Amino acid sequence: YWLDDYGFTNAFESSQGEGVKIAIIDTGIDSNHPSLRGVVVGGTDMSGLGSSDGQTPVGTNSYHGTMVASIAAGHGESEILGAAPKAELLSVSIAFGIEGLDTDSQIADGIIWAVDNGAKVINLSLTRNSVSWPESWDRAFLHAFENDVVIVAAAGNRSEGTEQVSAPASIPGVISVAGLDKNGAPSQNFSTSGFSIGVTAPAEDLIGAFPGGEYRMWSGTSGATPIVSGMVALIRSMYPEMNAANVVNRVINSATRDGFTGYSTSYGHGVIDANQA
């Protein structure tokens, strides 16, 4: 539903993300899934648990990265069409919920690797459940910003205990994505609110590719975030000379603000409109 309702179907007439690499820093991508074959062009593992190409799902909720990837750039060969179906993906696998593994360091190292390997967009469908972040993230995020990379991050979900927008979505310069229900209202369970929300995108009743060739319904800002990352890829493909700051500005200023003016702690700067962007 969101492809039509949020302007992607019309936007595809102008851009489908060709030539843009999106880094999915997550639990790894099952690149053999029918909707993702040929989409993943590189990767690495930061967990020490997966394969060297980042394409082995690892850690708790290991399916997560594959679902995120399919919403960003599923190419429609079987069931799923992503937000940027001709973009390329880099898979950076990290592991959540494994005792003894420093997730913060995995993420920081993953960001640096993604930047150095050609990503123009980095998707972070994750949260620390804390507004603060470690010093290693300062260096990593600065490395991305100094190299003209757009970072998109999930605001977090109330149903998972996130009561306010948390890092990395609280980091200045990051596009923080909050979630909408199928009617376009702020999702009560699968989003959160705060003063650092950039834009809102659909977060409920999404379909994602599941490792092993399956498909599952899911909800959450983890799904809303790759929709925005894909939209960024559409813009960067159509306007390759546009720098990251102006891409972010375009995402924000093309958002619709029906029902409110100024800034909203639920909607941020507004609801995404891919065609307008």
Side-chain angles (χ1 to χ4, degrees), residues 192-235:
T192 189
S193 58
F195 286 102
S196 59
I197 293 172
V199 290
T200 40
E204 294 190 19
D205 296 327
L206 306 174
I207 303 171
F210 198 87
E214 297 182 49
Y215 299 90
R216 301 282 177 92
M217 295 292 294
W218 69 319
S219 298
T221 53
S222 282
T225 301
I227 292 175
V228 176
S229 291
M231 190 175 82
V232 170
L234 301 185
I235 298 168

Side-chain angles (χ1 to χ4, degrees), residues 2 8 12 16 22-24 36 39 66-75 80-89 123 218 223 225-231 233-234:
W2 56 268
F8 285 89
F12 288 163
Q16 295 189 30
I22 305 171
I24 307 293
L36 290 166
V39 178
T66 302
M67 299 186 82
V68 168
S70 66
I71 289 183
H75 53 46
I80 287 183
L81 192 65
K86 292 188 178 177
E88 298 174 325
L89 298 181
N123 187 94
W218 69 319
T225 301
I227 292 175
V228 176
S229 291
M231 190 175 82
L234 301 185

Side-chain angles (χ1 to χ4, degrees), residues 30-150:
D30 175 10
S31 59
N32 290 317
H33 194 285
S35 290
L36 290 166
R37 287 179 189 145
V39 178
V40 183
V41 297
T44 190
D45 174 57
M46 294 297 171
S47 70
L49 301 175
S51 54
S52 60
D53 61 5
Q55 294 169 46
T56 299
V58 297
T60 304
N61 299 331
S62 60
Y63 59 82
H64 194 269
T66 302
M67 299 186 82
V68 168
S70 66
I71 289 183
H75 53 46
E77 178 183 311
S78 180
E79 302 299 332
I80 287 183
L81 192 65
K86 292 188 178 177
E88 298 174 325
L89 298 181
L90 298 174
S91 178
V92 180
S93 57
I94 59 176
F96 299 103
I98 305 298
E99 187 174 351
L101 287 183
D102 182 354
T103 304
D104 287 338
S105 294
Q106 293 177 65
I107 293 167
D109 292 343
I111 290 170
I112 292 169
W113 184 92
V115 173
D116 292 347
N117 284 272
K120 299 304 289 183
V121 189
I122 293 176
N123 187 94
L124 297 171
S125 289
L126 52 89
T127 182
R128 296 184 85 238
N129 277 331
S130 166
V131 295
S132 62
W133 57 89
E135 187 176 341
S136 64
W137 283 21
D138 285 334
R139 294 188 294 270
F141 281 77
L142 183 60
H143 184 61
F145 298 146
E146 288 179 339
N147 284 277
D148 196 45
V149 178
V150 176

